């Protein structure tokens, strides 16, 4: 894919994402409107630095499921972590989210040299995503030391 083709695809995805966030009418929609974004259509990649982001405090304030952009029944699993603060953060995933995540993990593992003849050890949420990795993923607590 050429640089221009990639930029075109990223712009298309940015516009779709912003339209979905605005349609969900949640916190992110309110923040987008605060910076003058009423639609994804006019946005370009050059607009990214001015777009608002969310952080863990936002997730904590909306705990447990106040930040969902889909109905809870569309979520197939929930990842929970207290991180280093001891305060729980829940992140629900749809089946599409898990499929996308497994491909992201697979690309990262392949880039690091993973093959079907190798295994990897993980101590993170990647343990639930070996589907597309083409290698055996062993959760860290069961890995040989």
């Amino acid at each position: 894919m050429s640089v221009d083709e990639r930029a075109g695809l990223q712009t298309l995805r940015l516009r779709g994402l912003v339209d979905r966030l605005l349609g969900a009418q949640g916190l992110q929609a309110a923040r987008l409107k605060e910076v003058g974004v009423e639609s994804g259509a006019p946005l370009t990649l050059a607009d990214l630095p001015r777009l608002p982001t969310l952080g863990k405090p936002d997730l904590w304030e909306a705990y447990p499921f106040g930040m969902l952009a889909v109905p809870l029944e569309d979520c197939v699993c929930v990842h929970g972590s207290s991180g280093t603060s001891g305060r729980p953060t829940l992140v629900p995933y749809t089946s599409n989210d898990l499929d996308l995540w497994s491909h992201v993990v697979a690309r990262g593992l392949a880039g690091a040299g993973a093959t079907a003849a190798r295994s990897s050890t993980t101590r993170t949420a990647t343990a639930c995503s070996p589907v597309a990795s083409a290698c055996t993923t062993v959760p860290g607590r069961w890995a040989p030391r």
Side-chain angles (χ1 to χ4, degrees), residues 45-135:
L45 297 180
D47 292 308
L48 280 171
R50 75 179 184 91
L51 298 181
T53 59
L54 299 174
K56 267 196 175 181
D58 298 308
L59 294 173
W60 292 335
E61 189 173 312
Y63 185 86
F65 300 119
M67 297 290 284
L68 286 177
V70 299
L72 183 58
E73 56 268 15
D74 289 352
C75 297
V76 296
C77 92
V78 177
H79 174 74
S81 171
S82 61
T84 57
S85 71
R87 187 170 180 182
T89 303
L90 298 180
V91 181
Y93 294 96
T94 66
S95 58
N96 188 55
D97 293 331
L98 292 177
D99 185 53
L100 176 61
W101 182 241
S102 70
H103 285 87
V104 168
V105 170
R107 289 180 70 177
L109 290 172
T115 68
R118 293 183 157 185
S119 64
S120 68
T121 302
T122 182
R123 294 186 183 275
T124 67
T126 57
C128 68
S129 309
V131 178
S133 68
C135 76

